[in-house]
Amino acid sequence: MAVSTGLPPTDIPASEHAGIPARFAGLIGAAHPDGGELVSARAITAPTEHVVAAELREFSGFDSNFALVAKHMIDFIKEDRGAPTTKIAASLALKTMCQILLNRISVTYLLTGRAPRIDELRFVLHGKGPWVEVFFDPRLSEEDFELNPDQGPAELFALSICLEEIIQVFHRELGRRKVAPSVFYSTVAISITSPFLVLRRHGAKPTEVASIMRAYLASLGKKINGGIVWRQREHEGRIEYAPRRKACCLKYVLPSKPHLCSTCSRSTETTFFDEVEGPVGGHSLPDGR
């Protein structure tokens, strides 16, 4: 078996894009039900009773106040988690924020076929964990979420716009001179595609997971697509692919985390190729990774 990195981008037919949510539904059907339940739990919903309407902020409020949230997170990760530098703390704060927001937006699109619009989202900001909560505007009705199947490809474009608005806020406060571009976009890409990794860890076939992941990333622009590199192997007469971060987030340097993540660029092992046996696989993180 030959394993390599840094594959050139693959030309994926545009007709594949509209079918990504349907293909994702196929992965859910092929995985153990626990995987589908973990993914579904990440979808954005209307606010629950514990959220006071006065706490809800439009995107502009999130944008203008995120600097303070980012500072609280960096300080917490340095003091409580033992991150030795601001650079490492910012990288891990970014990782958390991407899972809180980008991951949930991605899951919502994959499950429904409709991308959230930035003006439909409402945010609650906290000075400690969970840091940010995201909901749909409670004034929206079911009719507001009706999807025209003929506009499937347009939803991917709408998704990329929504993601980019939030990514710009992250980049301003956690990128630039704090997190290197390769680490930044690796973290962004992994958070957006982690629903696929959840299903792979719950029994979905790695070849199918990789195929849809590659199509999905290719539709979201060069920077996000470039956050993942693909190792490959020749197996039973065909080429198989496994996703890896382009650059390490440095989580392993924390005293409580002396190991590499399964998609880490520093790891020499490629466990993604192996099918998961048994009913459940994966780690006990909130998003199922």
Side-chain angles (χ1 to χ4, degrees), residues 101-285:
L101 294 181
L102 303 186
N103 173 267
R104 297 194 66 193
I105 291 169
S106 177
V107 165
T108 302
Y109 164 73
L110 291 168
L111 290 177
T112 67
R114 185 186 181 279
R117 275 56 169 172
I118 202 72
D119 60 357
E120 297 173 347
L121 299 179
R122 296 294 180 267
F123 304 83
V124 180
L125 307 183
H126 303 280
K128 58 183 180 179
W131 309 107
V132 176
E133 294 177 279
V134 62
F135 305 97
F136 279 118
D137 185 336
R139 296 169 295 181
L140 296 174
S141 64
E142 289 186 13
E143 289 75 17
D144 293 311
F145 296 101
E146 288 182 353
L147 175 67
N148 183 346
D150 295 332
Q151 297 178 349
E155 292 303 316
L156 269 172
F157 182 61
L159 176 68
S160 66
I161 292 173
C162 183
L163 293 173
E164 183 58 29
E165 292 277 1
I166 295 173
I167 289 169
Q168 287 180 7
V169 177
F170 289 170
H171 191 265
R172 185 186 69 225
E173 303 301 339
L174 296 171
R176 293 183 178 175
R177 287 182 288 274
K178 291 187 179 75
V179 179
S182 58
V183 178
F184 185 94
Y185 283 102
S186 286
T187 296
V188 165
I190 286 291
S191 69
I192 291 170
T193 56
S194 69
F196 297 94
L197 304 179
V198 172
L199 297 181
R200 178 258 160 196
R201 289 185 178 278
H202 287 79
K205 290 188 177 297
T207 53
E208 293 297 321
V209 172
S211 174
I212 307 175
M213 281 182 67
R214 295 173 75 212
Y216 192 33
L217 285 170
S219 70
L220 296 177
K222 183 177 180 180
K223 289 183 177 179
I224 295 175
N225 191 29
I228 299 293
V229 294
W230 294 90
R231 291 191 175 182
Q232 69 173 351
R233 72 173 183 178
E234 184 175 349
H235 182 65
E236 296 182 350
R238 64 179 179 179
I239 301 298
E240 296 182 345
Y241 299 91
R244 304 302 292 266
R245 292 177 59 96
K246 187 175 184 180
C248 179
C249 69
L250 302 178
K251 181 179 179 180
Y252 76 95
V253 305
L254 297 184
S256 60
K257 301 289 183 181
H259 60 271
L260 298 174
C261 302
S262 61
T263 57
C264 186
S265 57
R266 292 174 180 254
S267 175
T268 58
E269 297 182 357
T270 308
T271 58
F272 182 90
F273 290 127
D274 303 325
E275 290 191 27
V276 175
E277 296 182 1
V280 178
H283 304 302
S284 56
L285 297 180

Side-chain angles (χ1 to χ4, degrees), residues 65-76:
N65 289 278
F66 183 70
L68 186 58
V69 174
K71 182 181 184 304
H72 284 318
M73 292 187 71
I74 290 172
D75 291 344
F76 173 79

Side-chain angles (χ1 to χ4, degrees), residues 9-47:
T10 302
D11 293 329
I12 299 173
S15 60
E16 293 284 331
H17 295 168
I20 287 174
R23 295 170 69 190
F24 186 76
L27 292 181
I28 290 179
H32 186 272
D34 286 359
E37 290 176 7
L38 282 168
V39 170
S40 297
R42 300 289 298 167
I44 300 171
T45 63

